[in-house]
Amino acid sequence: MTSSISIFHSEKGGVGKSICCKAFIYKLMFENKNFIVIDADQSNADIHREFLGIKLNIDDEKSDDIEIHQFDLGEQNGWWDLYNLMNKNKNKNTHIVISMPAQIEFSMLEQRKEFKKALDSLGYKLNMIWMLSEAIDSIQLLKHTSINNNDLIDKLIIVKNGFFADENEFLDWQNSNIRKDLLQNENNSEVFLPELNKRLKRALKPIKKPFAQALASDRLDFSERMGLEAWLDDAITAFSSIT
């Protein structure tokens, strides 16, 4: 059985990595997958705060908690903690989900040789989920990251975040050479994730729980629950290539 690592990345803050990562974790929970979560954002560890102490099965209080860690991947020790976790869970068909901090590319470059050795020797596949805004620098950063990590990445999923623009308004990306080059690889894809409804975002903010728990609570009204379910269906479809 092959284990995998899914990295939510963008090299910038405020582009939707956290909410996208939360939606992917919902997908894994919905599909009853075996997974572990790592929050590598030392400045705003909202993934860790939200998932700490949360049950894998919301209908069973005796079920195990979601396994979640905080690793500082800006430091070598954090990467070594990751490699040990990978070794512990090899051959278990485990999804390791990592929410990356901004400005982590230099550390990734420093660890590139060891990371590749860990991936290859332990039999992991690496998925990189890149959060794209409509800004030109988001495309340039993607270009550098994809070149630097080309031989590490098994699948690259570029997420056009509907918070920034409608699907057909990512014009710089649509007309870029890097898009053409990347999508020639059949393992790479682009998806669109619609913006979460503003009323729904306001309703979710005080709940401070993962999406599955928010849906199971009585703090969303009927329309808000329907809206969240529809948005999560879109997210599951967007990440369908990651199995």
Side-chain angles (χ1 to χ4, degrees), residues 4-9 17-18 21 24-25 28 36-41 47 69 71 73 78-79 82-83 85-86 95-101 104 115 119 126-129:
S4 65
I5 296 177
S6 294
I7 289 179
F8 286 79
H9 192 19
K17 290 190 299 290
S18 292
C21 183
F24 182 68
I25 295 170
L28 297 178
I36 298 168
V37 180
I38 296 172
D39 193 338
D41 192 337
I47 296 288
H69 302 273
F71 292 164
L73 298 185
W79 286 94
L82 171 60
Y83 304 150
L85 186 70
M86 291 168 62
H95 293 255
I96 298 178
V97 183
I98 307 177
S99 179
M100 299 294 275
I104 193 66
F115 192 24
L119 291 167
L126 178 65
N127 308 306
M128 182 175 286
I129 299 93

Side-chain angles (χ1 to χ4, degrees), residues 189-216:
S189 60
E190 64 176 0
V191 299
F192 178 72
L193 190 63
E195 181 182 10
L196 196 62
N197 177 274
K198 290 182 174 61
R199 169 176 163 177
L200 184 52
K201 284 192 284 189
R202 288 194 298 269
L204 289 169
K205 188 174 182 179
I207 298 176
K208 297 180 180 179
K209 295 289 184 183
F211 292 129
Q213 281 68 23
L215 284 171

Side-chain angles (χ1 to χ4, degrees), residues 54-72:
I54 294 296
K55 300 294 183 183
L56 280 167
N57 185 345
I58 62 173
D59 297 319
D60 182 5
E61 281 299 317
K62 296 182 179 180
S63 69
D64 293 335
D65 289 353
I66 292 172
E67 184 175 347
I68 185 163
H69 302 273
Q70 280 186 288
F71 292 164
D72 183 359

Side-chain angles (χ1 to χ4, degrees), residues 140-175:
Q140 294 167 340
L141 289 167
L142 170 58
K143 178 180 179 179
H144 293 311
T145 300
S146 61
I147 290 172
N148 291 336
N149 299 285
N150 179 60
D151 59 342
L152 302 182
I153 301 170
D154 183 62
K155 291 181 180 179
L156 174 63
I157 298 96
I158 301 105
V159 180
K160 296 184 287 185
N161 187 354
F163 173 81
F164 295 103
D166 291 335
E167 185 170 11
N168 60 355
E169 293 178 341
F170 288 79
L171 298 181
D172 287 328
W173 164 249
Q174 193 71 26
N175 298 320

